[in-house]
Amino acid sequence: MLEKKCLPAIYTLFAIYIPSFIFNFFSVQPYKINEDELDAVLKESEIGSQSVSQPPTLPSIAAHSQKLSHRDKSEHELEKEIDVEEILVLEKDDPHVFRTLLTGLPSPTSNVWSLITALTNVTLVAMATDLVFRGPLLYPSNDLAFARVGYVSESSAKILVRESNLTQLPIYVSYRIAESRRSVTSGLKPIDDGWKSAGGIYWLSNETDYTSVIQMSSLRPDTRYQYMISSSRHTGSFRTAPQAGQSPHQNDGKFTFLTSSCIKPHFPYNPLSHPLSIPGFRDLAKWIPKLHAQFMLFLGDFIYVDVPVRFGTDVESYRREYRQVYSSPDWPLVSKQLPWIHVLDDHEIANDWDKNTTGVYQVAVDPWEHYHTSVNPPEVREGASYFSFTQGPATFFLLDTRRYRTPEFEAPSNSSEKSMLGSEQLHDLIHWLRSPEPAGVRWKIIASSIPFTKNWRFGSQDTWGGYLAERQVLLEAMWDVGLRGGVGTVVLSGDRHEFAATAFPPPTGGRWPLSATVHEFSTSPLSQFYLPVRTYEQRDEEDVCIKYVPDGNSKFGAIEITSPEASDQSVLEFKLFVDGEMAWSNLVTTPPDMAGGSRGKDALWG
């Protein structure tokens, strides 16, 4: 992965940079040559022969010497001499501030700017180190004590409790109705709002990372409850679900839930913030009281165990990641009044995981099971890691797109040999799609951790775009739901750090009406980076782009379902929130609940 290579590259380049900077700092010249003049003078001088020959004093050779002397005197030599003079006019160099800051090289004349550029690079490396290491090393969160609400049905609720201080045992959980003594749900009869015991926790150990689950039962439907944990005095509230097929009594009859995915503490990075801060939680928190949501359907990547670096492949490394999210100072803001249910994705295991239950899978799912599966909705079958439940006007199927899939690149995208879900999960999903729903249940909601559309062109092999044959089987089963009429199908997904709404209309001229069109809303991240490049593109009429919103470090969706008594159709409104503000909304209606062919249904629906 790119993230694994970045940090070693940073430290390697920094190790080269420091000695290079020191060498350049002491060797760079503060002056530049403004003018350079070169003068050359040629001088000639005559040299006589006497200067080079004297007559000998011995008589035997005197006559000969006199002749030589006479000859040399008649010969002269010229000596040429060149005088070269270079004149340099020096001028103090500019500080080159921009170049110094951009390249990190010392300024030729300013020690101040040299120091600033060096400190800038040192600071950037220190900030990268702080981002990567401060949280994991200084905040392992071993002493985490908290409680949260998981799945809430019309008559029960699951609460996860963690307490590492065993002297607090036993731990008791109490609850009470948190509504007026005469409420609509009680038929305006007096209700008992006294505290009741939900049971106790008498044993905790490292086997479950000191977590346990308390389940409340025999609750009233569509009623707000308050709960309290004796050890930490933690308190919170939740609303039980309306009965299947019924609309809530509160919130103007709107059945509302939230969806998003992808969380990484301390991102976007702020050196002054807490290393476990999650800014996206604060964006979400201010809307919770206004939206009156039943629950958060979180679609995976609750942790990023391998980003930016992996600190280990043991159980403790994975457990620490979960504890750090739950230890975030921002976590209570989004959990005190909002239950959370979860879907598994790759970063809870390893990036683009397609290796089934081999490798690190068993280690990775240990904390996933203790912190999430234990308080999730019911499993579809014993031992499965996918879930299903029904609340009010909607029924839900939460997929596992990691545990059962065949490898991404084992075969072409359109190969029937490839499977995202595995045979059992595929069978269970199609059976769920084909099953009739109770009166008043108007929507089938499929939760997929990865996008259903093939319009994402980057990393599409990891999405349903890499498993097109199985996707087509599911699309036809979804269109069959619309053909029967009265119930619509919507896919919710995440993973891409962008938002896109996509429609999947049935092929023209087929047996399915246009009203059977399936819609997908893919929303992420809740608190992470967004991609600076555009990766979503429609290239055919099979996957039709409705809306594409790539920018924003924090995105979540609110789904509001209304079923007017005077109408045969139910309305689903999707609201997109980006960086704390509502950015877009879209309405989808259920197919007409009527007999007949596709043309007649389209005439009514259109």
Side-chain angles (χ1 to χ4, degrees):
M1 279 182 61
L2 180 62
E3 295 90 344
K4 294 181 179 179
K5 300 177 181 178
C6 283
L7 202 61
I10 290 173
Y11 291 142
T12 300
L13 293 173
F14 187 66
I16 297 172
Y17 169 75
I18 292 298
S20 299
F21 180 89
I22 295 173
F23 174 80
N24 281 278
F25 181 81
F26 288 105
S27 62
V28 67
Q29 296 298 320
Y31 296 96
K32 65 179 180 179
I33 299 174
N34 191 31
E35 294 182 23
D36 186 357
E37 295 183 0
L38 192 65
D39 293 332
V41 178
L42 179 62
K43 298 179 179 180
E44 295 183 355
S45 58
E46 187 178 278
I47 304 176
S49 59
Q50 288 185 350
S51 63
V52 296
S53 178
Q54 297 294 330
T57 57
L58 294 177
S60 60
I61 58 172
H64 178 71
S65 295
Q66 290 175 358
K67 291 181 180 180
L68 266 177
S69 249
H70 178 76
R71 186 191 64 193
D72 288 345
K73 289 177 182 177
S74 64
E75 294 180 3
H76 299 83
E77 292 184 1
L78 294 178
E79 181 180 68
K80 297 181 179 180
E81 181 180 353
I82 299 177
D83 289 340
V84 178
E85 185 179 69
E86 184 176 15
I87 302 174
L88 298 178
V89 179
L90 301 180
E91 181 183 358
K92 192 173 184 180
D93 201 355
D94 296 327
H96 296 293
V97 176
F98 180 76
R99 186 184 69 184
T100 298
L101 295 177
L102 183 64
T103 64
L105 295 175
S107 169
T109 58
S110 174
N111 290 339
V112 172
W113 286 111
S114 296
L115 180 62
I116 289 175
T117 194
L119 289 178
T120 298
N121 284 282
V122 171
T123 301
L124 290 173
V125 173
M127 291 170 70
T129 303
D130 176 65
L131 173 64
V132 173
F133 293 105
R134 180 155 61 112
L137 297 183
L138 301 184
Y139 294 86
S141 304
N142 294 317
D143 58 350
L144 168 66
F146 87 112
R148 77 168 184 91
V149 181
Y151 172 65
V152 179
S153 72
E154 63 187 53
S155 61
S156 65
K158 296 179 180 180
I159 296 182
L160 176 73
V161 178
R162 186 185 194 273
E163 179 58 75
S164 60
N165 184 0
L166 301 185
T167 63
Q168 296 289 337
L169 294 174
I171 299 170
Y172 299 103
V173 180
S174 305
Y175 70 96
R176 68 175 181 179
I177 293 177
E179 291 186 341
S180 63
R181 296 184 64 85
R182 294 178 181 272
S183 68
V184 174
T185 56
S186 66
L188 299 181
K189 298 177 182 179
I191 59 176
D192 181 7
D193 60 357
W195 286 98
K196 298 177 176 61
S197 173
I201 300 172
Y202 304 94
W203 180 83
L204 290 169
S205 76
N206 187 53
E207 183 178 347
T208 62
D209 203 21
Y210 304 98
T211 63
S212 187
V213 176
I214 290 288
Q215 179 157 336
M216 304 174 186
S217 56
S218 301
L219 306 179
R220 294 173 177 265
D222 198 13
T223 303
R224 178 155 294 280
Y225 284 84
Q226 181 185 11
Y227 69 92
M228 181 178 292
I229 311 299
S230 64
S231 59
S232 60
R233 308 302 294 176
H234 175 89
T235 184
S237 64
F238 60 87
R239 176 171 289 274
T240 51
Q243 294 177 314
Q246 301 295 314
S247 297
H249 293 289
Q250 53 98 37
N251 198 25
D252 297 325
K254 297 177 183 177
F255 179 83
T256 305
F257 65 97
L258 310 178
T259 183
S260 189
S261 70
C262 305
I263 292 172
K264 182 63 181 178
H266 213 193
F267 195 94
Y269 175 72
N270 182 347
L272 303 180
S273 66
H274 193 285
L276 302 182
S277 65
I278 302 177
F281 281 175
R282 298 193 290 272
D283 292 332
L284 171 62
K286 69 181 184 181
W287 284 98
I288 291 176
K290 304 174 185 178
L291 294 172
H292 305 285
Q294 294 286 143
F295 55 86
M296 164 62 80
L297 176 54
F298 197 78
L299 300 176
D301 291 344
F302 186 78
I303 66 168
Y304 276 74
V305 71
D306 51 352
V307 175
V309 295
R310 179 187 284 276
F311 285 91
T313 57
D314 57 327
V315 170
E316 174 56 24
S317 295
Y318 281 90
R319 287 180 174 183
R320 182 182 62 243
E321 295 287 335
Y322 285 85
R323 293 197 305 265
Q324 287 178 327
V325 175
Y326 287 125
S327 295
S328 169
D330 302 311
W331 168 252
L333 302 176
V334 297
S335 63
K336 200 167 185 178
Q337 299 178 19
L338 183 67
W340 285 55
I341 56 180
H342 291 267
V343 168
L344 180 73
D345 200 25
D346 57 337
H347 287 289
E348 282 96 344
I349 310 167
N351 186 50
D352 292 348
W353 183 258
D354 63 352
K355 298 178 178 59
N356 306 122
T357 58
T358 64
V360 298
Y361 179 85
Q362 296 299 336
V363 171
V365 297
D366 171 271
W368 157 258
E369 291 174 349
H370 298 322
Y371 284 94
H372 290 174
T373 300
S374 61
V375 289
N376 245 12
E379 301 167 343
V380 173
R381 63 171 70 203
E382 185 177 357
S385 50
Y386 48 95
F387 314 91
S388 183
F389 65 98
T390 301
Q391 287 191 6
T395 181
F396 297 80
F397 198 106
L398 281 54
L399 299 176
D400 183 340
T401 63
R402 293 296 169 185
R403 176 181 176 184
Y404 306 99
R405 69 161 64 187
T406 54
E408 296 174 12
F409 299 100
E410 188 175 76
S413 299
N414 58 358
S415 171
S416 60
E417 301 298 318
K418 294 181 70 175
S419 175
M420 176 75 75
L421 304 179
S423 58
E424 283 191 348
Q425 186 176 194
L426 178 62
H427 172 272
D428 292 340
L429 177 57
I430 292 179
H431 175 76
W432 174 81
L433 286 168
R434 291 174 176 172
S435 298
E437 299 300 335
V441 176
R442 311 301 297 275
W443 294 95
K444 289 181 181 284
I445 310 292
I446 299 174
S448 171
S449 66
I450 44 89
F452 198 67
T453 179
K454 63 179 184 296
N455 284 352
W456 261 292
R457 304 300 169 179
F458 175 77
S460 61
Q461 288 296 316
D462 185 57
T463 72
W464 281 97
Y467 298 79
L468 294 177
E470 187 169 86
R471 190 186 85 142
Q472 185 63 27
V473 172
L474 293 179
L475 275 174
E476 293 181 6
M478 296 178 199
W479 292 331
D480 284 342
V481 174
L483 177 63
R484 294 193 296 270
V487 178
T489 304
V490 169
V491 179
L492 301 176
S493 64
D495 180 67
R496 305 304 296 184
H497 295 208
E498 299 177 298
F499 170 82
T502 310
F504 306 92
T508 57
R511 61 190 178 91
W512 299 286
L514 186 60
S515 58
T517 297
V518 176
H519 293 80
E520 177 187 28
F521 300 98
S522 185
T523 313
S524 68
L526 181 54
S527 193
Q528 250 279 25
F529 66 87
Y530 67 89
L531 296 179
V533 295
R534 304 306 180 235
T535 64
Y536 179 97
E537 180 185 358
Q538 177 184 337
R539 295 182 181 176
D540 55 42
E541 297 303 314
E542 295 178 351
D543 297 31
V544 179
C545 176
I546 301 173
K547 187 70 174 179
Y548 176 44
V549 182
D551 296 346
N553 290 317
S554 174
K555 305 186 192 76
F556 69 91
I559 295 89
E560 296 180 345
I561 299 175
T562 56
S563 300
E565 294 182 2
S567 175
D568 292 332
Q569 291 177 281
S570 176
V571 178
L572 182 150
E573 182 176 10
F574 182 92
K575 296 180 178 179
L576 173 67
F577 297 84
V578 179
D579 294 334
E581 301 297 331
M582 183 174 167
W584 180 76
S585 66
N586 183 246
L587 293 175
V588 183
T589 59
T590 55
D593 189 6
M594 59 175 288
S598 61
R599 286 195 63 182
K601 292 185 176 183
D602 283 346
L604 180 62
W605 187 72

